[in-house]
Amino acid sequence: VSPDRAGRLRDIDVKILKKVGQYIRGEIPSPFLFGHPGFKTEASSVYNNQWYDHAPEFLFDCNRQTGWGPTNTIGWVQLDLGKPAIISRVILDEGDLDRIRGFEAQVQSGTEWKTVATGTRVGPKREVKFAPVIVQVFRLVITKATAIPGLWEIEVAE
């Protein structure tokens, strides 16, 4: 993997996904850097339509000062990796908000969504493991919250 002139990663090898979970945040750059042309994010909504502050891309920028939140107490955010990769865990970071009370981790299989894990509370650095799957699109669905939730980071790894 090598950066282009703007400092963005050009080609992401699936093997780097293994390394993400093996290092302390900040030691190596995340393969999901903000602005990287190899991935796309989408969300059901953005808190108060504040894309400059709460865009879904901020979940993958390795910065706990930025994040995403929906307009309501439920919503979803998804990551398209740009090409298939093997994933078996996700790390969710809600910080100290403690508002999420139900969530589903989903992967796209054709035109269908398959739930690979469910949970209740998230809090800071919640690791969710599941059987390895080859996936290009990952989605986190917040199904229940005590108030409008906010997430600071999501890490997807093998």
Side-chain angles (χ1 to χ4, degrees), residues 44-49 68-74 148:
S44 56
S45 62
V46 172
Y47 179 72
N48 283 344
N49 215 18
W68 166 82
T71 301
N72 303 304
T73 56
I74 60 172
I148 294 175

Side-chain angles (χ1 to χ4, degrees), residues 50-90:
Q50 296 176 351
W51 289 87
Y52 58 88
D53 254 355
H54 301 291
E57 291 87 0
F58 291 127
L59 288 173
F60 307 97
D61 67 354
C62 295
N63 181 354
R64 292 193 74 231
Q65 304 303 312
T66 61
W68 166 82
T71 301
N72 303 304
T73 56
I74 60 172
W76 55 264
V77 62
Q78 72 184 37
L79 171 68
D80 183 333
L81 299 169
K83 62 182 179 181
I86 299 170
I87 64 170
S88 62
R89 64 191 176 107
V90 61

Side-chain angles (χ1 to χ4, degrees), residues 102-119:
F103 68 88
E104 294 180 6
Q106 300 178 342
V107 295
Q108 192 172 35
S109 177
T111 58
E112 303 286 319
W113 288 97
K114 176 183 172 189
T115 299
V116 293
T118 61

Side-chain angles (χ1 to χ4, degrees), residues 7 17 24 29 53 63 65 71 95 102 108 127 132 144 146 151-152:
L17 292 174
I24 297 169
D53 254 355
N63 181 354
Q65 304 303 312
T71 301
Q108 192 172 35
E127 183 174 24
K144 187 176 182 182
T146 60
L151 287 168
W152 305 123

